[in-house]
Amino acid sequence: MTQKNKTLGEFIIENQASFKYTTGELSRLINSIRLAAKVVNHEVNKAGLVDIIGAAGDVNIQGEDQQKLDVYANDKFIQTLTNRNIVCGIASEEEDDFITINSQDSNNQNKYVVLIDPLDGSSNIDVNVSVGTIFSIYRRVTPVGTPVKMADFLQKGNQQVAAGYVVYGTSTMLVYTTGAGVNGFTLNPAIGTFYLSHPNMQFPEDGRIYSVNEGNYIHFPQGIKDYIKYCQKEETGPYTARYIGSLVSDFHRNMIKGGIYLYPKSSKNEKGKLRLLYECNPMAFLAEQANGKASDGFQRILDIQPTELHERVPFICGSKNMVEKAEEFMRNASS
Ligand code: AHM
Ligand code: MG
């Protein structure tokens, strides 16, 4: 069998042995994410057909309107992870607090916590533009057999054991890492199977695409303004601007073609917009595993000690040389 004919299920089993804690639990966890992704994909693809789009009426902890598909995706991921009795806790963008899973069957022996953004880029749902799911997985730090605590979720990104995303795009892909490179799987919707389509994904060292919401330009820090001007200079190229407004899709394109994604802080948004725990950390882990880089402008994202479940952080991520250049502009502007 060639690499490319391999299904995600087969890949997970074959690679289980290379993971340092080989109990099979992490494999089961990724399998359940695979299942939930298929269910959510089915619903996302129906979004234009049925009256599922529009605000559900609730407002999440960030004060944003929830759309029905966000709620649906949140429920499906939580349900799947809970039913399969794999994790001891879940934190989600759509839930104010983390969820404790007390499973009697396993005698509370489950070791993993999952942090998830069930449907990121949700402002794109009603306009038929790609959205995604982002997930991050840690081993708990508190003793098994006891309920999970906040400390299990507030771990530095460098402690992640796995992370990934699903992009519901022209085709649906699941891309993930367990710390041994990044692999991408494409869903064949006819038979509902993910196939290994992008083995060992790597950011090109350099790129020519920059992705940023330039509508916020006047509110950006000087270093970011200077970097954007550098991207636009005749001598530099100029670079191409591509901004979907869906982190997963912008990241995915940049990883394949070479590019940089920036969501800086601004005078409107002192800490930026993106959430450290279930948006930036998993993307940063994937970026590093794919030879890219992720920074808040001054330090490595994965080394930041989180203090709150829903905290935000400025985010610069992509091809290594491009991120380093942006950091250089940030340093120069602040010195
Ligand atoms: P969300 O979690 O509310 O969907 O917000 C996250 C999204 C990212 O996917 C995207 O890159 C960014 O917000 C776009 O924000 P903006 O519209 O401010 O450019
Ligand atoms: Mg989000």
Side-chain angles (χ1 to χ4, degrees):
M1 190 189 298
T2 68
Q3 272 283 89
K4 288 215 168 183
N5 287 333
K6 203 166 279 173
T7 67
L8 174 55
E10 288 161 349
F11 183 90
I12 292 171
I13 293 166
E14 274 174 35
N15 287 275
Q16 186 170 306
S18 64
F19 183 64
K20 64 179 169 177
Y21 316 99
T22 48
T23 59
E25 212 175 330
L26 183 68
S27 300
R28 290 203 298 130
L29 210 174
I30 292 174
N31 260 320
S32 68
I33 288 175
R34 172 185 68 156
L35 175 67
K38 284 196 239 179
V39 175
V40 171
N41 173 63
H42 185 68
E43 211 58 27
V44 167
N45 283 332
K46 281 195 328 203
L49 294 172
V50 291
D51 184 29
I52 198 161
I53 52 175
D58 293 344
V59 172
N60 73 10
I61 192 167
Q62 276 88 24
E64 300 151 335
D65 282 337
Q66 277 187 8
Q67 298 188 279
K68 284 180 186 168
L69 222 40
D70 303 32
V71 180
Y72 181 86
N74 189 46
D75 291 350
K76 284 299 158 207
F77 276 98
I78 291 174
Q79 226 177 56
T80 312
L81 291 167
T82 310
N83 289 350
R84 292 200 157 191
N85 183 21
I86 302 169
V87 295
C88 52
I90 304 170
S92 161
E93 177 173 335
E94 304 297 340
E95 306 282 336
D96 296 358
D97 298 315
F98 63 80
I99 298 166
T100 304
I101 297 171
N102 282 318
S103 72
Q104 297 309 323
D105 298 357
S106 67
N107 203 15
N108 286 326
Q109 293 303 300
N110 297 338
K111 296 177 204 72
Y112 292 97
V113 295
V114 173
L115 297 96
I116 190 157
D117 183 350
L119 211 64
D120 183 66
S122 46
S123 68
N124 281 324
I125 295 168
D126 49 356
V127 289
N128 209 358
V129 174
S130 304
V131 288
T133 296
I134 309 173
F135 61 91
S136 166
I137 302 172
Y138 293 84
R139 284 172 80 85
R140 64 182 300 175
V141 289
T142 56
V144 287
T146 64
V148 277
K149 297 211 169 67
M150 189 58 102
D152 295 312
F153 298 92
L154 298 185
Q155 299 188 52
K156 289 184 183 174
N158 59 28
Q159 296 303 305
Q160 288 173 101
V161 293
Y165 60 78
V166 185
V167 56
Y168 309 98
T170 43
S171 48
T172 292
M173 282 190 70
L174 193 154
V175 174
Y176 80 102
T177 181
T178 54
V182 176
N183 292 284
F185 300 81
T186 303
L187 182 66
N188 177 343
I191 49 174
T193 303
F194 280 103
Y195 285 96
L196 178 60
S197 52
H198 295 66
N200 192 23
M201 297 180 84
Q202 299 267 313
F203 270 95
E205 291 264 301
D206 235 315
R208 309 200 56 77
I209 295 173
Y210 73 104
S211 318
V212 61
N213 186 344
E214 264 181 274
N216 295 326
Y217 183 86
I218 56 169
H219 302 286
F220 286 155
Q222 192 55 45
I224 297 292
K225 287 182 177 167
D226 294 344
Y227 179 69
I228 292 174
K229 285 296 153 220
Y230 166 84
C231 293
Q232 297 170 342
K233 274 206 178 110
E234 225 27 73
E235 309 87 81
T236 333
Y239 292 173
T240 294
R242 287 284 183 274
Y243 188 69
I244 297 172
S246 250
L247 171 62
V248 167
S249 315
D250 279 311
F251 178 100
H252 187 72
R253 182 207 51 244
N254 289 350
M255 177 159 60
I256 292 171
K257 295 194 165 178
I260 185 170
Y261 173 96
L262 307 103
Y263 210 110
K265 68 174 188 178
S266 69
S267 47
K268 291 192 303 189
N269 240 337
E270 252 318 292
K271 292 186 142 191
K273 174 186 182 190
L274 300 183
R275 271 59 60 136
L276 174 61
L277 291 180
Y278 41 79
E279 292 177 330
C280 302
N281 270 339
M283 294 317 235
F285 188 26
L286 286 160
E288 290 196 5
Q289 284 295 316
N291 195 35
K293 200 168 173 174
S295 158
D296 69 354
F298 300 98
Q299 67 166 324
R300 185 180 178 223
I301 289 289
L302 295 181
D303 288 340
I304 297 173
Q305 176 60 59
T307 54
E308 284 172 47
L309 215 48
H310 298 285
E311 80 185 71
R312 299 170 194 264
V313 73
F315 192 54
I316 303 177
C317 178
S319 290
K320 202 184 269 173
N321 293 345
M322 298 180 88
V323 174
E324 282 171 4
K325 196 68 179 174
E327 286 180 318
E328 190 186 310
F329 277 100
M330 290 300 285
R331 268 195 313 275
N332 291 343
S334 65
S335 59

